Amino acid sequence: MRYLKSFANLRIRSEGAIAHPRNLKCYFPHLRVLPEDIVEDNTDHNSSVIEEEYHEEGKNKISDVESTATEAQNSEVKSLKLQPGIPYEVRDEKGRKWWKYFDEFEYRANSEYKKSRNWYTFLYPNHTTHSKAERTLLYKLDILIGLYFLMLCWSKSLDSNNYTSAYVSGMKEDLKMEKNDYIYTSTISNVGAIVFQLPFMYLLPRFPAHIILPCMDLGWSWFTFACYRAKSLAELRGYRFILSAFGAAYYPVSQYILGSWYAPDEISSRVCLFFCGQLLGGVTSGLLQGRIYKSLNGVNGLAGWRWMFLIDAIAISIPCGLIGFFAIPGIPSKCYSLFLTDEEIRVARARNKRNQIKDGMSKSLMPKIWSWKLWKKVFLTPTFWVLVVFDTCSWNNMTAFSGSYSLWLKSNPNYSIVQVNNLSVLPACLGFAYVFFCAWGADLFRCKWIFMVFAAIMNCVSCAILIKWDVSSSAKWFAFLTTYFSVAPSPCLWSFINDFLRFDPQIRAVTWIAIYSFSQSTYAWIPALAWPTVESPRFRTGYTVSLIFGAIYGLWTFVVLYFYKRNERKHALGNGIILYNSENGESIPPFVDTHMQKKGDYYYVKEEKAE
């Protein structure tokens, strides 16, 4: 009866009928229960793939195919998870060309998947379910997730950039900040974010993100508000530390959610929206600070930089946090959304099945967080350390977020405070173009690595010019205006990580936060050494460090590509590709003849005859 009642409430909401006014629950997002979810056991939603697994215990009863080695009767039984209705490509690797190493999607998608979209529909492909509901789902997700995370990232970036804007707009003098106080305060703030990320290894796969994230955002908003009243440097540092602690969940939780809804050739464009919010914060912070300093400086006895924190908290951060309770839909297998229909949720689950994305699982099936089995899967996997190096280089080659450009402008006596704030937005404005170029190009051409390498080269050129320093004014402006190429490949990087970790939701949560915490921990102390404020405005050490990390980042992309291709070849069957190599004496696997039938150019699982 409990399930039927929940289902009845769901039908009222999803069919658009007017619910009873006293039933307030129907106006708030809670767990969506579909008819097929009403079962007696706690079967994981993602394991509801039509599959039949010939294990000795025979637990899955839907449609898996078993391949038995033909050499000996006692050979080990292989369990193959083949999905009915999905086209499979049989591919002979004989004579495979060396340059196929650079084909990122060689094993990630079969030829049918690649051909099932026109190039101009790369943002909204329809190549999984071939239904109108799939594109409608993508439209809704871009509003609910993409635009919301853009707005939320803008709010957080605005506050982070406000710290720099406030520093050059009077906060330095008011709080008597000297020497390296600027960078040390940033470091203390980063420590708060790193430490308080760790609990989300446990919380993220177990509790709904549409509750966790908005609550953390409201805490962030409150301490953003508190920054306006800081009377001393110590007080400001305390507020910034707690503020960052509340913001610790944002990056890993948002990427976890994005990776649960989007396909591998869609996600870079959506992470792009996320980073556009970050860039938008850089643009609007300088413009708002310049306008506020001019209009409100001294009003009611408050300095202009204090007004910026007030407006940021009350008018921007708090509304963003409240919207999150309704905008974040959870994950397809455990959806919390007022705006998605039952059919769209089914489509999302079908997309994840084809893309081998396991977005969630029952709590009872998860290993304990202190289980050695869990941590062994994380730390004893080469992929983890490959991604740690990759993300660490990404964090520490970001010249764009060093504040060096604003401090260079401030050092020029020809620019007023208002002009400094207005000019400070130029690199971030160009950064929009750089991020879109890399992220959309990656999804359009299904090739992330080439855009990552190109961005790394541009970043190295920018740093090299600034290391030289004694160059023409135009060369120096070119260098500063291209610093955001250090940020541009980040959507591609995070898309890579999501694709690596799509097979196990708990491993994904733990690994995401472990990678992010490790990388960010280096960002807590490396900038303090590389970008000491006393070296302003030249920062020779900082640009040298960024150049080194940028060069490693570009070269390491090929290492990541190697492990990615190796991983996808291992899971090629799940991607709709049946591999063999006739050059090595291999033939088409026997299960193709026994359990599949050819239709056109592709093979399909044989349909069972009704009894």
Side-chain angles (χ1 to χ4, degrees), residues 215-380:
C215 288
M216 299 294 285
D217 290 334
L218 292 178
W220 168 287
S221 302
W222 173 253
F223 283 94
T224 298
F225 174 83
C227 287
Y228 99 92
R229 66 179 302 278
K231 299 296 191 298
S232 66
L233 178 59
E235 187 177 357
L236 176 70
R237 286 176 171 173
Y239 292 146
R240 300 297 292 182
F241 177 87
I242 302 174
L243 179 153
S244 293
F246 276 107
Y250 175 60
Y251 283 96
V253 173
S254 60
Q255 295 309 305
Y256 186 93
I257 294 172
L258 288 169
S260 297
W261 289 95
Y262 288 107
D265 54 351
E266 300 164 358
I267 191 170
S268 293
S269 302
R270 276 62 187 192
V271 179
C272 169
L273 292 176
F274 176 95
F275 275 93
C276 282
Q278 196 167 30
L279 300 180
L280 189 61
V283 172
T284 53
S285 175
L287 295 176
L288 285 173
Q289 186 68 57
R291 182 63 180 172
I292 288 171
Y293 188 90
K294 184 177 181 179
S295 304
L296 294 177
N297 188 38
V299 174
N300 292 333
L302 295 178
W305 65 268
R306 295 182 186 274
W307 278 106
M308 186 68 251
F309 286 117
L310 274 172
I311 294 171
D312 180 11
I314 297 173
I316 299 172
S317 296
I318 291 177
C320 286
L322 295 175
I323 292 172
F325 287 106
F326 301 91
I328 300 173
I331 55 179
S333 62
K334 296 179 181 178
C335 183
Y336 298 84
S337 180
L338 295 169
F339 307 105
L340 298 180
T341 66
D342 292 357
E343 181 61 25
E344 287 160 358
I345 295 173
R346 291 188 183 99
V347 167
R349 293 178 181 179
R351 282 158 48 86
N352 279 1
K353 291 168 189 174
R354 176 159 186 181
N355 289 303
Q356 299 189 84
I357 298 172
K358 191 171 184 180
D359 57 75
M361 61 192 299
S362 172
K363 294 180 185 178
S364 62
L365 300 177
M366 294 183 190
K368 301 296 183 183
I369 193 65
W370 55 82
S371 168
W372 169 240
K373 180 181 177 181
L374 171 65
W375 293 100
K376 184 170 66 173
K377 287 184 179 179
V378 175
F379 291 124
L380 298 186

